[in-house]
Amino acid sequence: MSRDLERAEGCWAWVVLLASLVTQGLTLGFPTCTGIFFTELQHEFQASNSETSWFPSILTAMLHAGGPLCSILVGRFGCRVTVMLGGALASLGMVASSFCRTLSQLYLTAGFITGLGMCFSFQSSITVLGFYFSRHRALANALASVGVSLGITLWPLLSRYLLEDLGWRGTFLVFGGVFLHCCVCGAILRPVATSTAPETTEGPPPPSKTSAPGCVAACGRAIQRHLAFDILRHNAGYRVYTLGVMWMILGFPLPHVFLVPYAMWHGVDEHRAALLISIIGFSNIFLRPMAGLVAGRRDFAGHRKYLFSLAALLNGLTNLVCAASADFRVLVGYCLAYSVSMSGIGALLFQVLMDIVPMDRFSSALGLFTILESISILISPPLAGLLLDTTDNNFSYVFYMSSFFLISAALFMGGSFCVLQKKERPGKRAETEGAITEAASEQGLMVEDSRGSKKRLNTEVMYVTSV
């Protein structure tokens, strides 16, 4: 049975853009509100800081680690089905978590299941924009990213309001209904008439008759396609960037989890404490698109990796300000300064990766990058929670810890990129000299090499100098 296909860059593309914006707000914006429930969950389950921290860490780690599985589902069933499946899983996880009696059950439901569902929805909603937009793709991605900032702004306010009236269990039950809106957004993603759109096959594939060694080879090719271990071995820039980001992520998500408990611990009102996260989100509504436009300029193409290191350095330094004082006015100023560096990190994180690896291998490089990144996300909050337990709930040490990882990662990446760039220059100069010499030999020219010695190739008097 034939079905109508939507036209790329048509009117419906902007409806799809709106659906992607809402989906990103529902999914990527949600982890920032988990800190509001931190104290409630800790009292409910009589748990330590480290044990309670596993909930947001598992949730956020699954949000990133499910990328390769999501790409397989998109290739098999398409973006529409994958987004709707993700919304159903996220809703199921939150509804089930409202009936949890132990933290282990909360890890499985609100952490693993909800995180995986959100991953399916948000990554598919980003992928579909590439099918619907070609000429306006950069604009579409910039507008869709505003949804993340809206989510960071609205989720904490909604969480604080519902928590007072319904408790955390009733709030999680309502959140289950909210995540069903991802299914509505997924239904809007009609198939698009492009040659690059993933094909949907009808029915299960025929049984394979491949031998066991052939199956191993097929698995190896699948891993190679979705996880770029060969690039990690042979591309020094990718290796430096991946290790630097992994180290940076050990400190980067901590303010989102511990800022609200930190403010409440120092006597800030619950509503004002929740407002701090909303200030970060509201600022990013304007700062993130601006940072994306600046990062996308060709003038900065060769310096984006250094700008990313600078943004990480500033982010670490701002955390020191937060650790110095818990006065509400100081915390508001901290949130505004934090938003500037956060928007720079968000705008440059994947742009730098595109600069480092070839675009034909970007998908597999991104798959390995997000999985390694999720390992750091999984470790970071429990490690900070353990630090809190050993220091009698001194939250200042958490922000010192965050600053240490961010500043050291920034210095490592910036220094390593400088060293790599210096090593690349002699190689590029030699290649340039070789190309000039070869071209000159065909025309009978005299060439001056990098040491200043002249090589006569013919009787014509002409000098070509390599820079």
Side-chain angles (χ1 to χ4, degrees):
M1 184 177 68
S2 63
R3 59 182 179 180
D4 295 332
L5 298 178
E6 290 295 332
R7 182 171 55 89
E9 299 282 354
C11 296
W12 193 255
W14 300 101
V15 180
V16 170
L17 172 61
L18 179 61
S20 178
L21 183 149
V22 173
T23 302
Q24 291 191 43
L26 290 173
T27 54
L28 289 180
F30 178 73
T32 57
C33 76
T34 54
I36 293 174
F37 302 98
F38 191 90
T39 305
E40 291 287 333
L41 294 175
Q42 194 173 20
H43 292 162
E44 173 75 18
F45 297 107
Q46 296 297 307
S48 64
N49 290 294
S50 180
E51 292 171 338
T52 310
S53 299
W54 278 106
F55 157 54
S57 66
I58 293 174
L59 172 72
T60 313
M62 290 308 303
L63 186 58
H64 293 79
L69 179 58
C70 177
S71 64
I72 293 173
L73 291 175
V74 169
R76 178 66 175 83
F77 300 105
C79 295
R80 188 184 211 177
V81 174
T82 308
V83 171
M84 297 176 72
L85 174 63
L89 279 176
S91 175
L92 175 64
M94 293 309 297
V95 171
S97 68
S98 65
F99 299 98
C100 289
R101 298 300 174 188
T102 63
L103 266 179
S104 300
Q105 295 173 353
L106 191 71
Y107 299 157
L108 176 63
T109 54
F112 183 85
I113 297 177
T114 298
L116 187 63
M118 291 194 301
C119 174
F120 290 167
S121 291
F122 107 81
Q123 292 203 16
S124 302
S125 69
I126 294 175
T127 302
V128 77
L129 293 179
F131 298 144
Y132 267 95
F133 292 92
S134 55
R135 290 183 292 111
H136 301 97
R137 186 174 297 168
L139 175 63
N141 283 310
L143 292 175
S145 67
V146 175
V148 182
S149 304
L150 288 172
I152 296 174
T153 304
L154 299 176
W155 272 116
L157 300 178
L158 178 63
S159 300
R160 185 73 255 169
Y161 176 77
L162 293 177
L163 184 61
E164 288 186 347
D165 292 340
L166 304 177
W168 74 267
R169 294 185 185 274
T171 302
F172 280 17
L173 188 63
V174 173
F175 284 172
V178 173
F179 279 121
L180 286 177
H181 288 80
C182 291
C183 299
V184 179
C185 294
I188 293 175
L189 310 182
R190 297 173 182 170
V192 61
T194 61
S195 58
T196 58
E199 297 180 358
T200 304
T201 57
E202 300 294 337
S208 174
K209 298 180 180 179
T210 311
S211 59
C215 291
V216 174
C219 292
R221 286 193 298 270
I223 293 174
Q224 183 78 359
R225 186 167 64 252
H226 297 288
L227 301 174
F229 286 105
D230 58 326
I231 298 180
L232 187 65
R233 288 196 306 269
H234 300 115
N235 189 326
Y238 179 69
R239 190 161 55 247
V240 166
Y241 188 59
T242 302
L243 292 175
V245 171
M246 284 184 66
W247 188 254
M248 181 197 78
I249 292 297
L250 289 173
F252 181 67
L254 295 182
H256 298 284
V257 178
F258 293 101
L259 179 59
V260 173
Y262 170 68
M264 293 173 59
W265 182 262
H266 286 86
V268 177
D269 180 70
E270 296 177 353
H271 294 278
R272 301 176 84 186
L275 186 63
L276 294 172
I277 299 295
S278 297
I279 291 173
I280 295 176
F282 184 76
S283 302
N284 269 266
I285 294 175
F286 309 99
L287 292 173
R288 186 180 289 258
M290 291 173 56
L293 292 175
V294 172
R297 292 179 60 88
R298 293 183 179 180
D299 305 343
F300 297 104
H303 307 285
R304 277 192 281 255
K305 51 184 177 286
Y306 300 111
L307 291 175
F308 179 82
S309 301
L310 179 62
L313 179 64
L314 293 176
N315 195 270
L317 293 175
T318 54
N319 287 335
L320 293 176
V321 175
C322 184
S325 174
D327 182 74
F328 182 73
R329 289 170 294 182
V330 175
L331 292 179
V332 170
Y334 158 76
C335 290
L336 294 174
Y338 181 86
S339 299
V340 176
S341 56
M342 176 186 171
S343 62
I345 291 174
L348 290 166
L349 182 65
F350 297 118
Q351 186 65 51
V352 173
L353 187 62
M354 292 180 185
D355 295 338
I356 292 175
V357 301
M359 281 308 298
D360 60 336
R361 299 298 311 280
F362 177 74
S363 178
S364 55
L366 179 62
L368 180 61
F369 181 80
T370 54
I371 284 183
L372 294 177
E373 181 187 26
S374 67
I375 295 175
S376 297
I377 294 173
L378 184 65
I379 296 173
S380 175
L383 187 63
L386 182 62
L387 180 64
L388 280 176
D389 293 333
T390 56
T391 57
D392 296 328
N393 287 332
N394 191 336
F395 283 89
S396 297
Y397 286 106
V398 173
F399 291 92
Y400 288 134
M401 170 184 165
S402 176
S403 296
F404 166 73
F405 284 119
L406 284 158
I407 294 173
S408 57
L411 296 176
F412 166 75
M413 288 187 288
S416 299
F417 285 135
C418 284
V419 172
L420 290 176
Q421 190 171 11
K422 289 181 179 179
K423 287 183 178 180
E424 289 175 358
R425 283 174 181 172
K428 291 182 178 179
R429 184 181 294 114
E431 291 178 3
T432 305
E433 289 179 357
I436 293 174
T437 303
E438 182 179 353
S441 63
E442 296 177 356
Q443 302 175 12
L445 304 178
M446 178 179 286
V447 178
E448 182 180 351
D449 62 16
S450 59
R451 294 184 298 275
S453 61
K454 298 184 177 72
K455 300 178 181 179
R456 178 169 293 280
L457 301 173
N458 203 320
T459 56
E460 296 183 23
V461 182
M462 184 179 291
Y463 298 89
V464 179
T465 305
S466 64
V467 179

